[in-house]
Amino acid sequence: MIDRLAIARWFAVIAFALAAMAPRGRAQATAPAVGFGAAAAALATCRDCHEGASSKGRFDLTALPARGFGVDWLHSVARVRERVRIGEMPPPDAEPLAADARAALLRWCDATLADGIGRLPWTPGRVTVRRLSRGQWQASAQALAGVTTPLAARFPSDDLGYGFDSIGDALSFSTLHLETYVAAAEDVARRAVAAFGPVDPRGRRVEAEAMTLADGPGVGQGGEIANFHTRATLQQVVELPRDGVYRLVLRAGADQAGDQPARMELRRDGALLDAFDVPERSLREFALTTPLPGGPTTFAIAFVNDFYDPGNPDPQRRDRNLHVDWLEVHGPIDAAAAPPGAAWLPPALAKGGGEDFARALLLRAWRRPPTGAELARLRKADPEFALAAALASPHFLFRAEPRNASADRGDADGEALADHALASRLSFFLWGTGPDDALLQDAAKGRLRDLAALRAATDRLLADPRADWLATDFAAQWLELRALAERTPDPARFPGFDDALRASLRRQTELLFATVLREDRDVRELLACDFVHVDRRLAAHLGLPPVAGDGFERRPLAADQRAYGGVLGHGSVLVLTSNPTRTSPVKRGKWILENLLAAPPPPPPPGNDTLAGERAIDSAATLRAQLTQHRADPKCAGCHVRMDGLGFALEGFDPVGRPRAADAGGAIDARGELPGGRVVDGLTAIAAEVAGDPAFVRALLRKLFVYAVGRDADAIDRLHLDARADALRQAGSVTLRALVHEVVASPPFRRRAAGR
């Protein structure tokens, strides 16, 4: 159907563009050097380890003032602040800082960072051209055409970059991608035209003599009709384009015998739709109008009351037989209810193909106005071909982000994105699809260049149900919920853990994120809140009162139970961070550090990635003993002190996320000791610890930034983002809406590196 050779040429051009647009380094700005001021006395205790060429951790106090307000120097100050704040520095074997000296040092760090970051230009950096991820392709195709295709399940899996599948540097492209994209595009086009195009009044006719025998000894199918001489069933699969109302018409006649007329049944997927008495030999039509679901449907015609009386004096009444000519399927005959993004399609199809259809299609599919040459290529194409070609084009599959030709030419601070590219970046961030008509109009009129208008557009997209994409895609990747499909707890120890439970565990966490977003709750309620979502499966798993319906139910939580509503009390996270047979404080602590605090520990030294006495672990007590021994190794202690302390606080949950007070080793000890000697005991304490850590809001803002912009946050980005996160915390409540606005308003989101 589609010229695959032409598409291959398009992709060759795109491949060259990808190579040409690979990210390059970013410049740093510096300012006059400054001294340590009030922090000098506190830092004097650090010089034994951090002075001169042999400084530990590549952190040389004597070199810092000479660096002025450069990125490296400010980044080092941020490291000092964080390590001192959490108690990792000074180390346990060094002289501790006095409380007043520690406070003075942290105040100096805050003031220095505030002053330095304010002088630091925030340049946009380079973003590699991005291919649509599997999820984005499916969401975009459905938004554009109003239908889905099962062929999208055949797409190759997407590689992750910095935790997300929306990173251009990580997304590959192969001939397999090309083949599956073309096949899926053709299927979507066929389904869309069938679902929303004008209904063919002739319907789709299935000749009975060509149908397949499903039951009975046989049917005479040698002529132009099917002759049922005994009880039997014929069937045929028919593809219904969408859910809707259909008119089904059978043409049949029958030889009569006995006291009853011949009886014919029409079935769908094994279920009876209707039964018809066929009282005459002459063929006539029997009709039924009924709602039916879309998709492959097996229609069956059955003769159910055969009768044979060879002794009847009337030869015409001795044998009851059914004769069926055909089955016709008309429809859908009800009005097409296209989803919001596809509302343009039914009226456009009603007018047929041509240039107007091509213009309406390409504007939405390619997320920008088409050129005259592009329109000319599809001007004479029928709608199905045009739609398939648009979806298989690199202009749909790749997110090119050109400069704004009518704005400034650009300088070291970058140049403005093209209006439609900015609109696409916003809609893919919040909806996972291209812009809707209103956002395309904003782009066409240049409104998004104004920060107030951009903010208003962001609020409109967030208010739309399609913004649930942030819960089902962003949060699912940030919290690693997709990996649940790969976790298999030991079936001997945890029977009943199945795919249905995995789905419920994931959905519970997605609903929490969606609620925090929709109700403008503080993001720290992701860690402790006054409600929890459970469905019937989860309630049974956790031993909670049953849920009446089939869906999720939102239940209130008492003040002392709030942590059970947060992600650290969710089975999704607890299963992800466990081994098949036991819990893993190391995995749980590592997950917290990586995903919630943006402080991933380095990889373990070679040969130190397992516990020496793993086989001897039969309870939480023996596990704690093994980890204590592991931390005795100096090579391991630096990371494991904090990591294990965080993880131990979650020992009150078993490997499948159920609360527990004891195991085979006795009462559970859920105390964890953190750097500096602080102790957290149990879920409530660890949730409060993470929620109170400034790094949590910083980490979430960084994650949103990476997901939205499509590249990692570099040192300049992290400094600016952390400053914005700290300002929001100091102002009071921090909502997801506020964090999204910070990302959208940032120069790296609105601009691009100059000269690309």
Side-chain angles (χ1 to χ4, degrees), residues 635-651:
K635 298 191 299 291
C636 305
C639 296
H640 275 275
V641 170
R642 191 181 188 200
M643 187 162 54
D644 293 2
L646 294 169
F648 275 130
L650 296 176
E651 278 293 89

Side-chain angles (χ1 to χ4, degrees), residues 407-482:
D408 58 278
R409 180 55 192 162
D411 51 27
D413 292 335
E415 55 194 9
L417 281 174
D419 295 313
H420 286 85
L422 179 57
S424 292
R425 185 173 276 195
L426 180 63
S427 62
F428 274 106
F429 176 24
L430 303 181
W431 288 355
T433 69
D436 64 355
D437 287 358
L439 196 57
L440 287 171
Q441 290 177 9
D442 285 342
K445 296 181 179 180
R447 294 173 183 151
L448 300 180
R449 303 175 201 173
D450 176 68
L451 277 176
L454 181 60
R455 185 180 183 89
T458 302
D459 281 333
R460 183 181 68 82
L461 267 63
L462 285 173
D464 191 282
R466 285 170 282 187
D468 283 347
W469 174 262
L470 285 173
T472 58
D473 195 74
F474 165 75
Q477 295 188 73
W478 167 42
L479 302 174
E480 302 181 22
L481 302 182
R482 292 180 176 181

Side-chain angles (χ1 to χ4, degrees), residues 47 129 169 219 253 280 434 486 499 509 581:
R47 291 185 180 274
V129 173
D169 291 338
V219 176
E280 301 173 0
E486 305 165 5
D499 288 340
T509 305
T581 59

Side-chain angles (χ1 to χ4, degrees), residues 570-648:
H570 280 194
S572 58
V573 171
L574 297 163
V575 171
L576 281 172
T577 54
S578 293
N579 290 336
T581 59
R582 63 167 176 82
T583 61
S584 175
V586 174
K587 288 183 178 179
R588 289 176 175 179
K590 181 174 180 286
W591 185 91
I592 292 172
L593 289 174
E594 287 182 339
N595 296 298
L596 303 186
L597 298 177
N608 286 267
D609 54 349
T610 58
L611 296 175
E614 177 70 40
R615 292 186 178 182
I617 297 173
D618 60 4
S619 67
T622 54
L623 174 59
R624 181 180 285 269
Q626 285 288 330
L627 286 172
T628 300
Q629 181 180 345
H630 192 70
R631 288 195 303 276
D633 187 338
K635 298 191 299 291
C636 305
C639 296
H640 275 275
V641 170
R642 191 181 188 200
M643 187 162 54
D644 293 2
L646 294 169
F648 275 130

